[in-house]
Coordinates of all heavy atoms in Angstrom, one line a residue:
M158 N -71.3 139.2 -58.6 CA -70.6 140.1 -59.4 C -69.8 141.1 -58.6 O -70.3 141.7 -57.7 CB -71.6 140.8 -60.4 CG -71.0 141.9 -61.2 SD -72.2 142.7 -62.1 CE -71.6 144.3 -62.2
S159 N -68.5 141.2 -58.9 CA -67.6 142.1 -58.2 C -67.7 143.5 -59.0 O -67.5 143.5 -60.2 CB -66.2 141.6 -58.2 OG -66.2 140.4 -57.4
V160 N -67.7 144.6 -58.2 CA -67.6 145.9 -58.8 C -66.7 146.7 -57.9 O -66.5 146.5 -56.7 CB -69.0 146.6 -58.9 CG1 -70.0 145.9 -59.8 CG2 -69.6 146.8 -57.5
R161 N -66.1 147.7 -58.5 CA -65.2 148.7 -57.8 C -65.9 150.0 -58.2 O -66.0 150.5 -59.3 CB -63.8 148.6 -58.4 CG -62.9 149.6 -57.9 CD -62.3 149.2 -56.5 NE -61.3 150.2 -56.0 CZ -60.7 150.0 -54.9 NH1 -60.9 149.0 -54.2 NH2 -59.9 150.9 -54.6
V162 N -66.3 150.8 -57.1 CA -67.0 152.0 -57.3 C -66.1 153.2 -57.0 O -65.3 153.2 -56.2 CB -68.2 152.1 -56.3 CG1 -68.9 153.4 -56.3 CG2 -69.1 151.0 -56.5
H163 N -66.3 154.2 -58.0 CA -65.5 155.5 -57.8 C -66.6 156.6 -57.6 O -67.2 157.0 -58.5 CB -64.7 155.7 -59.1 CG -64.0 157.1 -59.0 ND1 -64.3 158.1 -60.0 CD2 -63.1 157.6 -58.2 CE1 -63.5 159.1 -59.7 NE2 -62.9 158.8 -58.6
P164 N -66.8 156.9 -56.3 CA -67.9 157.9 -56.0 C -67.3 159.4 -56.3 O -66.2 159.6 -56.6 CB -68.1 157.8 -54.5 CG -66.9 157.1 -54.0 CD -66.3 156.4 -55.1
E165 N -68.3 160.3 -56.4 CA -68.0 161.7 -56.8 C -67.3 161.9 -58.1 O -66.4 162.7 -58.2 CB -67.2 162.3 -55.6 CG -68.0 162.4 -54.3 CD -67.4 163.1 -53.2 OE1 -66.5 162.6 -52.6 OE2 -67.8 164.3 -53.0
A166 N -67.6 161.1 -59.1 CA -67.1 161.2 -60.4 C -67.9 162.3 -61.2 O -68.9 162.8 -60.7 CB -67.1 159.9 -61.1
R167 N -67.4 162.6 -62.4 CA -68.0 163.6 -63.2 C -69.3 163.1 -63.8 O -70.3 163.9 -64.0 CB -67.2 164.0 -64.3 CG -66.0 164.8 -64.0 CD -65.2 165.2 -65.2 NE -63.9 165.8 -64.7 CZ -63.0 166.2 -65.5 NH1 -63.1 166.1 -66.8 NH2 -61.9 166.8 -65.1
K168 N -69.4 161.8 -64.1 CA -70.6 161.2 -64.6 C -70.8 159.7 -64.2 O -69.8 159.1 -63.8 CB -70.7 161.3 -66.1 CG -69.6 160.5 -66.8 CD -69.6 160.6 -68.3 CE -68.5 159.8 -69.0 NZ -68.7 159.8 -70.4
N169 N -72.0 159.2 -64.3 CA -72.3 157.8 -64.0 C -71.9 157.0 -65.2 O -72.4 157.3 -66.3 CB -73.7 157.6 -63.7 CG -74.1 158.2 -62.3 OD1 -73.3 158.5 -61.5 ND2 -75.4 158.5 -62.2
A170 N -71.0 156.0 -65.1 CA -70.6 155.3 -66.2 C -69.8 154.0 -65.8 O -69.3 154.0 -64.7 CB -69.6 156.1 -67.1
V171 N -69.8 153.0 -66.7 CA -69.0 151.9 -66.5 C -67.6 152.3 -67.2 O -67.6 152.7 -68.4 CB -69.6 150.6 -67.2 CG1 -68.6 149.5 -67.1 CG2 -70.9 150.3 -66.6
T172 N -66.6 152.2 -66.4 CA -65.3 152.7 -66.9 C -64.2 151.7 -67.2 O -63.1 152.0 -67.5 CB -64.7 153.8 -66.0 OG1 -64.6 153.2 -64.6 CG2 -65.7 155.0 -65.9
G173 N -64.5 150.4 -67.0 CA -63.6 149.4 -67.3 C -63.6 148.3 -66.3 O -64.6 147.9 -65.7
V174 N -62.3 147.7 -66.1 CA -62.2 146.7 -65.1 C -61.0 147.0 -64.2 O -60.0 147.6 -64.6 CB -61.8 145.3 -65.9 CG1 -61.5 144.2 -64.9 CG2 -62.9 145.0 -66.8
H175 N -61.2 146.6 -62.9 CA -60.1 146.8 -61.9 C -60.0 145.6 -61.1 O -61.0 145.2 -60.4 CB -60.5 148.1 -61.0 CG -59.5 148.3 -59.9 ND1 -58.3 148.9 -60.1 CD2 -59.5 147.9 -58.6 CE1 -57.7 149.0 -58.9 NE2 -58.4 148.4 -58.0
A176 N -58.9 144.9 -61.2 CA -58.7 143.7 -60.4 C -59.9 142.7 -60.6 O -60.4 142.2 -59.6 CB -58.4 144.0 -58.9
E177 N -60.2 142.4 -61.8 CA -61.3 141.5 -62.2 C -62.7 142.0 -61.8 O -63.7 141.2 -61.8 CB -61.1 140.1 -61.7 CG -59.8 139.5 -62.3 CD -59.6 138.1 -61.9 OE1 -60.6 137.4 -61.6 OE2 -58.4 137.6 -62.0
A178 N -62.9 143.2 -61.3 CA -64.1 143.8 -60.9 C -64.5 144.8 -62.0 O -63.7 145.5 -62.5 CB -64.1 144.4 -59.6
V179 N -65.8 145.0 -62.2 CA -66.3 146.0 -63.1 C -66.2 147.3 -62.4 O -66.7 147.5 -61.3 CB -67.8 145.7 -63.6 CG1 -68.3 146.8 -64.4 CG2 -67.9 144.4 -64.2
K180 N -65.5 148.3 -63.0 CA -65.3 149.6 -62.4 C -66.4 150.5 -62.9 O -66.7 150.7 -64.0 CB -63.9 150.1 -62.9 CG -63.5 151.3 -62.2 CD -62.1 151.7 -62.6 CE -61.6 153.0 -62.0 NZ -60.3 153.4 -62.4
I181 N -67.1 151.1 -61.8 CA -68.3 152.0 -62.1 C -68.0 153.3 -61.4 O -67.7 153.4 -60.2 CB -69.5 151.4 -61.6 CG1 -69.8 150.0 -62.4 CG2 -70.7 152.3 -61.7 CD1 -71.0 149.2 -61.9
S182 N -68.1 154.4 -62.2 CA -68.0 155.8 -61.6 C -69.5 156.3 -61.4 O -70.3 156.1 -62.1 CB -67.4 156.7 -62.6 OG -66.0 156.3 -62.8
L183 N -69.6 156.9 -60.2 CA -70.9 157.5 -59.8 C -70.7 159.0 -59.3 O -69.8 159.3 -58.8 CB -71.5 156.7 -58.7 CG -71.8 155.3 -58.9 CD1 -72.2 154.5 -57.6 CD2 -73.0 155.1 -60.0
T184 N -71.7 159.8 -59.7 CA -71.6 161.2 -59.3 C -71.9 161.4 -57.8 O -71.5 162.4 -57.2 CB -72.6 162.0 -60.2 OG1 -73.8 161.6 -60.0 CG2 -72.1 162.0 -61.6
T185 N -72.6 160.4 -57.2 CA -73.1 160.5 -55.8 C -71.9 160.4 -54.9 O -71.1 159.6 -55.0 CB -74.0 159.4 -55.6 OG1 -75.0 159.5 -56.6 CG2 -74.7 159.6 -54.2
P186 N -71.9 161.2 -53.8 CA -70.8 161.1 -52.8 C -71.1 159.9 -51.9 O -72.3 159.5 -51.7 CB -70.9 162.4 -52.0 CG -72.3 162.8 -52.2 CD -72.7 162.4 -53.6
P187 N -70.1 159.3 -51.2 CA -70.3 158.2 -50.4 C -70.8 158.5 -49.0 O -70.1 158.2 -47.9 CB -69.0 157.5 -50.3 CG -68.0 158.6 -50.4 CD -68.7 159.6 -51.4
V188 N -71.9 159.3 -48.9 CA -72.4 159.8 -47.6 C -73.8 159.1 -47.3 O -74.6 159.1 -48.2 CB -72.6 161.3 -47.7 CG1 -73.2 161.8 -46.4 CG2 -71.3 162.0 -48.0
D189 N -73.9 158.6 -46.1 CA -75.1 157.9 -45.7 C -75.6 156.8 -46.6 O -76.8 156.7 -46.9 CB -76.3 159.0 -45.6 CG -75.9 160.0 -44.4 OD1 -75.3 159.6 -43.5 OD2 -76.4 161.1 -44.6
R190 N -74.6 156.1 -47.2 CA -74.9 155.0 -48.1 C -75.6 155.4 -49.4 O -76.2 154.6 -50.1 CB -75.7 153.9 -47.4 CG -74.9 153.4 -46.1 CD -75.3 152.0 -45.8 NE -74.9 151.5 -44.6 CZ -73.9 151.6 -43.8 NH1 -73.0 152.5 -44.2 NH2 -73.7 151.0 -42.7
R191 N -75.6 156.7 -49.7 CA -76.2 157.2 -51.0 C -75.5 156.6 -52.2 O -76.2 156.4 -53.2 CB -76.3 158.7 -51.0 CG -77.2 159.3 -50.0 CD -77.5 160.7 -50.1 NE -76.4 161.5 -50.7 CZ -76.1 162.8 -50.5 NH1 -76.8 163.3 -49.6 NH2 -75.1 163.3 -51.0
A192 N -74.2 156.4 -52.2 CA -73.6 155.8 -53.3 C -74.0 154.4 -53.6 O -74.1 154.0 -54.7 CB -72.0 155.9 -53.1
N193 N -74.3 153.6 -52.5 CA -74.8 152.3 -52.7 C -76.2 152.3 -53.4 O -76.5 151.5 -54.3 CB -74.9 151.5 -51.4 CG -73.6 151.2 -50.7 OD1 -72.6 151.1 -51.5 ND2 -73.6 151.1 -49.4
E194 N -77.0 153.2 -52.9 CA -78.3 153.4 -53.6 C -78.2 153.8 -55.0 O -78.9 153.3 -55.9 CB -79.2 154.3 -52.8 CG -79.5 153.9 -51.4 CD -80.1 155.0 -50.5 OE1 -80.4 156.1 -51.0 OE2 -80.3 154.8 -49.3
A195 N -77.3 154.7 -55.3 CA -77.0 155.2 -56.6 C -76.5 154.1 -57.6 O -76.9 154.0 -58.7 CB -76.1 156.4 -56.6
L196 N -75.6 153.3 -57.0 CA -75.1 152.1 -57.7 C -76.2 151.2 -58.1 O -76.3 150.8 -59.3 CB -74.1 151.4 -56.9 CG -73.5 150.1 -57.4 CD1 -72.7 150.3 -58.8 CD2 -72.6 149.4 -56.4
I197 N -77.1 150.8 -57.2 CA -78.2 149.9 -57.5 C -79.1 150.5 -58.5 O -79.5 149.8 -59.5 CB -78.9 149.5 -56.2 CG1 -77.9 148.6 -55.3 CG2 -80.2 148.8 -56.5 CD1 -78.5 148.3 -53.9
A198 N -79.4 151.8 -58.4 CA -80.3 152.4 -59.4 C -79.6 152.5 -60.8 O -80.3 152.2 -61.8 CB -80.6 153.9 -58.9
F199 N -78.4 152.8 -60.8 CA -77.6 152.8 -62.1 C -77.6 151.5 -62.8 O -77.9 151.3 -63.9 CB -76.2 153.3 -61.9 CG -75.3 153.2 -63.0 CD1 -75.4 154.1 -64.1 CD2 -74.3 152.2 -63.1 CE1 -74.5 154.1 -65.2 CE2 -73.5 152.1 -64.3 CZ -73.6 153.1 -65.3
L200 N -77.3 150.4 -62.0 CA -77.2 149.1 -62.6 C -78.6 148.6 -63.0 O -78.8 148.0 -64.0 CB -76.6 148.1 -61.6 CG -75.1 148.3 -61.3 CD1 -74.7 147.4 -60.2 CD2 -74.3 148.0 -62.6
A201 N -79.7 148.9 -62.2 CA -81.0 148.5 -62.5 C -81.4 149.1 -63.9 O -82.0 148.5 -64.7 CB -82.0 148.9 -61.4
D202 N -81.1 150.4 -64.0 CA -81.4 151.0 -65.3 C -80.6 150.4 -66.5 O -81.2 150.1 -67.5 CB -81.1 152.5 -65.1 CG -81.4 153.3 -66.4 OD1 -82.6 153.3 -66.8 OD2 -80.5 154.0 -67.0
R203 N -79.3 150.2 -66.3 CA -78.5 149.7 -67.4 C -78.9 148.3 -67.7 O -78.8 147.9 -68.9 CB -77.1 149.7 -67.0 CG -76.4 151.1 -66.9 CD -76.2 151.7 -68.3 NE -75.3 151.0 -69.2 CZ -74.0 151.2 -69.4 NH1 -73.4 152.2 -68.7 NH2 -73.3 150.5 -70.2
L204 N -79.2 147.4 -66.7 CA -79.6 146.1 -66.9 C -81.1 145.8 -67.2 O -81.5 144.7 -67.5 CB -79.2 145.2 -65.7 CG -77.7 145.2 -65.4 CD1 -77.4 144.6 -64.0 CD2 -76.9 144.6 -66.5
R205 N -81.8 146.9 -67.1 CA -83.3 146.8 -67.3 C -84.0 145.8 -66.4 O -84.7 144.9 -66.8 CB -83.6 146.6 -68.7 CG -83.2 147.7 -69.7 CD -83.7 147.5 -71.1 NE -83.3 148.6 -71.9 CZ -82.6 148.6 -73.0 NH1 -82.1 147.4 -73.4 NH2 -82.3 149.7 -73.6
V206 N -83.6 145.9 -65.1 CA -84.2 145.1 -64.1 C -84.7 146.0 -63.0 O -84.3 147.2 -62.9 CB -83.2 144.0 -63.5 CG1 -82.7 143.1 -64.6 CG2 -82.1 144.6 -62.8
T207 N -85.6 145.4 -62.1 CA -86.0 146.2 -61.0 C -84.8 146.4 -59.9 O -84.0 145.4 -59.9 CB -87.2 145.6 -60.3 OG1 -86.9 144.3 -59.8 CG2 -88.4 145.6 -61.3
K208 N -84.9 147.4 -59.1 CA -83.9 147.6 -58.1 C -83.9 146.4 -57.0 O -82.9 146.1 -56.5 CB -84.0 148.9 -57.4 CG -83.7 150.1 -58.3 CD -83.6 151.4 -57.5 CE -85.1 152.0 -57.5 NZ -85.1 153.3 -56.9
G209 N -85.0 145.9 -56.9 CA -85.2 144.8 -55.9 C -84.5 143.5 -56.4 O -84.2 142.6 -55.5
R210 N -84.1 143.4 -57.6 CA -83.4 142.2 -58.1 C -81.9 142.3 -57.9 O -81.1 141.4 -58.2 CB -83.7 141.9 -59.6 CG -85.1 141.4 -59.8 CD -85.5 141.1 -61.1 NE -84.4 140.3 -61.8 CZ -84.4 140.0 -63.1 NH1 -85.4 140.6 -63.9 NH2 -83.5 139.3 -63.7
I211 N -81.4 143.5 -57.4 CA -80.0 143.7 -57.2 C -79.8 143.7 -55.7 O -80.4 144.5 -55.0 CB -79.5 145.0 -57.8 CG1 -79.8 145.0 -59.3 CG2 -78.1 145.3 -57.6 CD1 -79.5 146.3 -60.0
V212 N -78.9 142.8 -55.2 CA -78.7 142.6 -53.8 C -77.2 142.9 -53.5 O -76.3 142.3 -54.2 CB -79.0 141.2 -53.3 CG1 -78.7 141.0 -51.9 CG2 -80.5 140.9 -53.7
L213 N -76.9 143.8 -52.6 CA -75.5 144.1 -52.2 C -75.1 143.1 -51.1 O -75.6 143.0 -50.0 CB -75.4 145.5 -51.6 CG -74.1 146.0 -51.2 CD1 -73.1 146.0 -52.3 CD2 -74.2 147.4 -50.6
L214 N -74.2 142.2 -51.5 CA -73.8 141.1 -50.6 C -72.7 141.6 -49.7 O -72.7 141.1 -48.5 CB -73.4 139.9 -51.4 CG -74.4 139.2 -52.3 CD1 -73.7 138.2 -53.1 CD2 -75.6 138.7 -51.5
S215 N -71.8 142.4 -50.1 CA -70.7 142.8 -49.3 C -70.2 144.1 -49.8 O -70.3 144.5 -50.9 CB -69.6 141.8 -49.2 OG -68.9 141.6 -50.4
G216 N -69.5 144.9 -48.9 CA -68.9 146.1 -49.3 C -69.7 147.4 -49.1 O -69.5 148.3 -49.8
T217 N -70.6 147.3 -48.1 CA -71.5 148.5 -47.9 C -70.7 149.8 -47.6 O -71.2 150.9 -48.0 CB -72.5 148.3 -46.8 OG1 -71.8 147.9 -45.6 CG2 -73.5 147.2 -47.2
T218 N -69.5 149.7 -47.0 CA -68.7 150.9 -46.7 C -67.4 150.9 -47.4 O -66.5 151.6 -46.9 CB -68.6 151.0 -45.2 OG1 -67.8 149.8 -44.7 CG2 -69.9 151.1 -44.4
N219 N -67.3 150.1 -48.5 CA -66.0 150.0 -49.1 C -66.2 150.2 -50.6 O -67.4 150.1 -51.2 CB -65.5 148.5 -48.9 CG -64.1 148.3 -49.3 OD1 -63.6 148.9 -50.2 ND2 -63.4 147.4 -48.6
R220 N -65.2 150.6 -51.4 CA -65.3 150.8 -52.8 C -65.5 149.4 -53.5 O -66.1 149.4 -54.6 CB -64.1 151.5 -53.3 CG -64.0 152.9 -53.0 CD -62.8 153.6 -53.6 NE -62.7 154.9 -53.1 CZ -62.4 156.0 -53.9 NH1 -62.2 155.7 -55.2 NH2 -62.4 157.1 -53.4
A221 N -64.9 148.4 -52.9 CA -65.0 147.1 -53.6 C -66.3 146.4 -53.0 O -66.5 146.3 -51.8 CB -63.8 146.2 -53.2
K222 N -67.2 146.0 -53.9 CA -68.5 145.5 -53.5 C -68.7 144.2 -54.3 O -68.2 144.0 -55.4 CB -69.6 146.5 -53.9 CG -69.4 147.8 -53.1 CD -70.4 148.9 -53.5 CE -70.1 150.2 -52.9 NZ -70.1 150.2 -51.4
V223 N -69.6 143.4 -53.7 CA -70.0 142.1 -54.4 C -71.6 142.2 -54.4 O -72.2 142.5 -53.4 CB -69.6 140.9 -53.6 CG1 -70.2 139.6 -54.3 CG2 -68.1 140.9 -53.6
L224 N -72.1 142.1 -55.7 CA -73.5 142.2 -55.9 C -74.1 140.9 -56.5 O -73.4 140.2 -57.2 CB -73.8 143.3 -56.9 CG -73.4 144.7 -56.5 CD1 -73.4 145.6 -57.7 CD2 -74.3 145.3 -55.4
R225 N -75.3 140.6 -56.2 CA -76.0 139.5 -56.9 C -77.1 140.2 -57.7 O -78.0 141.0 -57.2 CB -76.6 138.5 -55.9 CG -77.4 137.4 -56.6 CD -78.1 136.5 -55.7 NE -77.1 135.9 -54.8 CZ -77.4 135.6 -53.5 NH1 -78.6 135.8 -53.0 NH2 -76.5 135.0 -52.8
I226 N -77.2 139.8 -59.0 CA -78.3 140.3 -59.8 C -79.2 139.0 -60.0 O -78.8 138.1 -60.7 CB -77.9 140.8 -61.2 CG1 -77.2 142.2 -60.9 CG2 -79.1 141.1 -62.0 CD1 -75.9 142.2 -60.5
V227 N -80.3 139.0 -59.3 CA -81.2 137.8 -59.3 C -81.7 137.6 -60.8 O -82.3 138.5 -61.4 CB -82.4 138.0 -58.4 CG1 -83.3 136.8 -58.4 CG2 -81.8 138.2 -57.0
G228 N -81.5 136.4 -61.3 CA -82.1 136.0 -62.6 C -81.1 136.3 -63.7 O -81.5 136.1 -64.9
M229 N -79.9 136.8 -63.5 CA -78.9 137.0 -64.5 C -77.6 136.4 -64.1 O -77.2 136.4 -62.9 CB -78.7 138.5 -64.8 CG -79.8 139.1 -65.4 SD -79.4 140.9 -65.8 CE -78.6 140.7 -67.3
R230 N -76.8 135.7 -65.0 CA -75.5 135.2 -64.8 C -74.5 136.4 -64.9 O -74.8 137.3 -65.6 CB -75.2 134.1 -65.7 CG -76.0 132.9 -65.7 CD -75.6 131.7 -66.5 NE -75.0 132.2 -67.8 CZ -75.7 132.2 -68.9 NH1 -76.9 131.8 -68.9 NH2 -75.1 132.6 -70.0
A231 N -73.4 136.2 -64.3 CA -72.3 137.3 -64.3 C -71.9 137.6 -65.7 O -71.8 138.8 -66.0 CB -71.1 136.8 -63.4
D232 N -71.7 136.6 -66.6 CA -71.3 136.9 -67.9 C -72.4 137.7 -68.7 O -72.1 138.5 -69.5 CB -70.9 135.6 -68.7 CG -72.1 134.5 -68.8 OD1 -73.0 134.5 -67.9 OD2 -72.1 133.8 -69.8
E233 N -73.7 137.4 -68.4 CA -74.7 138.2 -69.0 C -74.7 139.6 -68.6 O -74.9 140.6 -69.4 CB -76.1 137.6 -68.7 CG -76.4 136.2 -69.2 CD -77.7 135.7 -68.7 OE1 -78.0 135.8 -67.5 OE2 -78.4 135.0 -69.5
V234 N -74.4 139.8 -67.3 CA -74.4 141.2 -66.8 C -73.2 142.0 -67.4 O -73.4 143.1 -67.8 CB -74.2 141.1 -65.2 CG1 -73.9 142.6 -64.7 CG2 -75.4 140.5 -64.6
R235 N -72.1 141.4 -67.5 CA -70.9 142.0 -68.1 C -71.2 142.4 -69.5 O -70.8 143.5 -69.9 CB -69.6 141.2 -67.9 CG -69.2 141.1 -66.5 CD -67.9 140.3 -66.4 NE -67.6 140.2 -65.0 CZ -66.3 140.6 -64.5 NH1 -65.5 141.1 -65.3 NH2 -66.1 140.5 -63.3
V236 N -71.8 141.6 -70.3 CA -72.1 141.8 -71.7 C -73.0 143.1 -71.8 O -72.8 143.9 -72.6 CB -72.7 140.6 -72.4 CG1 -73.2 141.0 -73.8 CG2 -71.6 139.5 -72.6
V237 N -74.0 143.1 -70.9 CA -74.9 144.2 -71.0 C -74.3 145.5 -70.6 O -74.6 146.6 -71.2 CB -76.2 144.0 -70.2 CG1 -77.1 145.1 -70.0 CG2 -77.0 142.7 -70.7
L238 N -73.5 145.4 -69.5 CA -72.9 146.7 -69.0 C -72.0 147.4 -70.0 O -72.0 148.5 -70.2 CB -72.1 146.4 -67.7 CG -73.0 146.1 -66.5 CD1 -72.1 145.8 -65.3 CD2 -73.9 147.2 -66.2
D239 N -71.1 146.6 -70.6 CA -70.2 147.1 -71.6 C -69.5 146.1 -72.4 O -68.8 145.3 -71.8 CB -69.2 148.0 -70.9 CG -68.4 148.9 -71.8 OD1 -68.3 148.7 -73.0 OD2 -67.7 149.8 -71.3
P240 N -69.6 146.0 -73.7 CA -69.0 145.0 -74.4 C -67.5 144.9 -74.3 O -66.9 143.9 -74.5 CB -69.4 145.2 -75.9 CG -70.6 146.1 -75.8 CD -70.5 146.9 -74.5
V241 N -66.9 146.0 -74.0 CA -65.4 146.1 -73.8 C -65.0 145.3 -72.5 O -63.9 144.8 -72.4 CB -65.0 147.6 -73.7 CG1 -63.6 147.6 -73.4 CG2 -65.3 148.2 -75.0
V242 N -65.9 145.2 -71.6 CA -65.6 144.5 -70.3 C -65.7 143.0 -70.4 O -65.2 142.3 -69.4 CB -66.5 145.1 -69.2 CG1 -66.3 144.4 -67.9 CG2 -66.4 146.6 -69.1
V243 N -66.2 142.5 -71.4 CA -66.4 141.0 -71.5 C -65.1 140.3 -71.2 O -64.0 140.6 -71.8 CB -67.0 140.6 -72.9 CG1 -67.1 139.1 -73.0 CG2 -68.3 141.3 -73.1
C244 N -65.2 139.2 -70.4 CA -64.1 138.4 -70.0 C -63.9 137.3 -71.1 O -64.7 136.7 -71.6 CB -64.3 137.7 -68.7 SG -64.6 138.8 -67.4

């Protein structure tokens, strides 16, 4: 699953789609990889899965990231995150 992260936002939220990636705003600053940890915690909460089932495959220092959610297909993830984002 592709995501585009906007760190240091006003609130944690799914805000739409950017270049076919789910756009996610996080209040956490991108310091010491804290935004990556916040992203995983946010997604785990929204998807109702453990943080261990979310794997950051690429983009550790970039706003564009690729994640794997073990046990869920990409279309299932998008539906749960926000019905407006469904492809």
